[in-house]
């Protein structure tokens, strides 16, 4: 349905995330993947969804050869805990530290999506609140060793083992936590 609506566009997904790519397939979209390296640095005064809005938009700016038919989708996800952004862990030690900090607490997962064409740009975002049970060091170590969550903001995937055993409650979109507020993106794309 969405593919028919967007048939005049060449949809470009600028994401290496297999989860985001799967969402696009599941939406029935024909799309290409284009990746460009970018330093994910943002002004320190930004908070919450200001960070993800900024980074999703920044990622669109490296694509300076778009045609009128191109529709570029860029996005960014952070985990927001105690007024701080948690990104992707660099190594096992950092992943352990991040998961320990999430243990027994509530945090927000914020994802922004930037839709760009030569004639318009629109940024949408969504926030989901996730609550973890108190995790043992053994559970954290097991998860890191077996699932290598180094490509995930907050060092976890809700759809993986840690989500099954560790998440007590979720308020908001599950898919947003996986990495894309699919319902909001769908609505926005249907308006084009």
């Amino acid at each position: 349905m969405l593919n028919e609506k967007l048939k005049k566009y060449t949809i470009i997904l600028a994401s290496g995330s297999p989860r985001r790519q799967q969402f696009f397939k599941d939406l029935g979209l024909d799309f290409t993947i284009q990746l460009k390296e970018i330093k994910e640095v943002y002004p320190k005064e930004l908070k919450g969804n200001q960070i993800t809005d900024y980074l999703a938009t920044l990622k669109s700016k490296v694509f300076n050869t778009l045609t009128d038919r191109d529709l570029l989708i860029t996005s960014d996800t952070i985990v927001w805990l105690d007024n701080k952004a948690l990104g992707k862990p660099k190594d096992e030690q950092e992943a352990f530290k991040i998961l320990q900090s999430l243990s027994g607490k509530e945090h927000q997962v914020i994802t922004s999506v930037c839709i760009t064409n030569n004639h318009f740009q629109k940024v949408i975002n969504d926030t989901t609140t996730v609550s973890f049970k108190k995790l043992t060091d053994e559970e954290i170590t097991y998860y890191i060793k077996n699932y290598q969550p180094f490509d995930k903001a907050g060092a976890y995937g809700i759809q993986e083992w840690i989500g099954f055993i560790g998440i007590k409650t979720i308020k908001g979109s599950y898919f947003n936590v996986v990495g894309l507020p699919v319902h909001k993106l769908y609505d926005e794309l249907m308006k084009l």
Side-chain angles (χ1 to χ4, degrees), residues 105-174:
K105 291 185 186 163
E106 198 172 78
H107 64 273
Q108 282 71 45
V109 177
I110 306 166
T111 302
S112 293
V113 180
C114 182
I115 304 162
T116 305
N117 175 270
N118 277 345
H119 304 291
F120 63 85
Q121 186 169 64
K122 172 86 179 181
V123 180
I124 57 171
N125 61 60
D126 200 26
T127 301
T128 305
T129 301
V130 179
S131 177
F132 264 105
K133 74 169 192 170
K134 191 87 178 117
L135 299 167
T136 67
D137 288 355
E138 189 179 43
E139 288 166 337
I140 294 171
T141 302
Y142 174 84
Y143 174 66
I144 294 167
K145 290 265 185 251
N146 290 282
Y147 292 88
Q148 307 283 308
F150 308 118
D151 67 333
K152 297 174 180 74
Y156 78 92
I158 192 172
Q159 72 281 10
E160 295 174 340
W161 181 84
I162 198 89
F164 304 154
I165 66 104
I167 291 177
K168 292 195 309 187
T169 61
I170 172 172
K171 291 181 217 127
S173 167
Y174 166 83

Side-chain angles (χ1 to χ4, degrees), residues 2 6 26 66 84 103 123 131 137 173 180 189:
L2 191 55
L6 300 174
D26 292 345
L66 294 179
K84 282 196 303 246
S103 176
V123 180
S131 177
D137 288 355
S173 167
L180 199 68
L189 293 175

Side-chain angles (χ1 to χ4, degrees), residues 50-67:
Q50 295 172 328
I51 295 169
T52 52
D53 285 359
Y54 178 89
L55 290 173
T57 305
L58 183 69
K59 290 173 183 179
S60 74
K61 290 181 178 167
V62 296
F63 288 84
N64 46 13
T65 57
L66 294 179
T67 70

Side-chain angles (χ1 to χ4, degrees), residues 1-94:
M1 186 164 124
L2 191 55
N3 209 36
E4 183 62 26
K5 176 104 173 121
L6 300 174
K7 67 182 175 199
K8 72 176 185 178
Y9 293 109
T10 300
I11 300 168
I12 302 164
L13 174 62
S15 175
S17 163
R19 296 159 298 281
R20 288 186 184 130
Q21 293 168 15
Q22 190 60 51
F23 283 141
F24 271 56
K25 287 177 193 159
D26 292 345
L27 282 170
L29 290 171
D30 292 328
F31 64 98
T32 62
I33 298 162
Q34 288 185 31
L35 305 176
K36 295 199 179 196
E37 282 296 310
I38 185 167
K39 279 199 190 298
E40 295 187 23
V41 180
Y42 55 88
K44 294 292 173 229
E45 69 273 8
L46 298 183
K47 304 279 182 213
N49 69 302
Q50 295 172 328
I51 295 169
T52 52
D53 285 359
Y54 178 89
L55 290 173
T57 305
L58 183 69
K59 290 173 183 179
S60 74
K61 290 181 178 167
V62 296
F63 288 84
N64 46 13
T65 57
L66 294 179
T67 70
D68 288 352
R69 288 181 43 84
D70 290 333
L71 191 63
L72 174 69
I73 312 288
T74 55
S75 60
D76 193 75
T77 300
I78 60 168
V79 167
W80 189 250
L81 175 72
D82 298 332
N83 223 19
K84 282 196 303 246
L86 303 177
K88 299 171 187 169
K90 289 188 269 309
D91 53 32
E92 286 187 17
Q93 290 79 13
E94 191 175 6

